[in-house]
Amino acid sequence: QVQLVESGGGLVQAGGSVRLSCAASGRTDIGYNMAWFRQAPGKEREFVATISRSGGNTYYAASVKGRFTISRDNGKNTVFLQMNSLKPEDTAVYYCAAGSCYGYCNPSSFDYWGQGTQVTVSS
């Protein structure tokens, strides 16, 4: 079992930046690919980015590529999502997830989820 806790969300103006964190605990010794998803009101959960176990490879949704950066610190069992040049359409609850999928992933590919953190971008 792996427990995930996100933090760092909040209200930000368009064009601003936010850094999300996801702290993992439990069986982190197994090593998982990690991902960020987001879900806006009335919409399905949407893939944002994944990062490989080592952190050496990353993959992004087209909508965020060039603006968002996923990274991880395995020594601290933490994954980050740096979000720059934010747009109102980035408003959503952001979730981190742990599993075996890498690349473009469906939510069903991930075994463990955090509770989510709200990011609201005002225009």
Side-chain angles (χ1 to χ4, degrees), residues 2-75:
V2 175
Q3 293 78 44
L4 303 173
V5 179
E6 302 97 334
S7 61
L11 176 64
V12 61
Q13 289 187 333
S17 299
V18 169
R19 189 192 196 204
L20 305 182
S21 299
C22 173
S25 60
R27 289 301 308 274
T28 57
D29 58 300
I30 295 175
Y32 293 92
N33 292 329
M34 300 293 294
W36 287 94
F37 288 80
R38 65 186 181 186
Q39 189 166 18
K43 295 188 176 181
E44 294 185 350
R45 195 163 296 191
E46 174 189 28
F47 167 78
V48 174
T50 53
I51 187 166
S52 61
R53 290 173 178 81
S54 68
N57 294 289
T58 57
Y59 188 87
Y60 298 92
S63 59
V64 306
K65 193 172 184 179
R67 300 188 298 122
F68 291 11
T69 302
I70 187 171
S71 61
R72 65 192 296 168
D73 183 337
N74 287 339

Side-chain angles (χ1 to χ4, degrees), residues 59-112:
Y59 188 87
Y60 298 92
S63 59
V64 306
K65 193 172 184 179
R67 300 188 298 122
F68 291 11
T69 302
I70 187 171
S71 61
R72 65 192 296 168
D73 183 337
N74 287 339
K76 296 183 178 180
N77 295 322
T78 304
V79 179
F80 304 98
L81 186 67
Q82 177 67 44
M83 304 189 293
N84 299 329
S85 302
L86 283 162
K87 306 175 182 179
E89 51 264 42
D90 294 318
T91 295
V93 177
Y94 283 74
Y95 298 90
C96 71
S100 59
C101 183
Y102 174 74
Y104 179 82
C105 300
N106 289 316
S108 60
S109 301
F110 287 84
D111 303 310
Y112 304 104

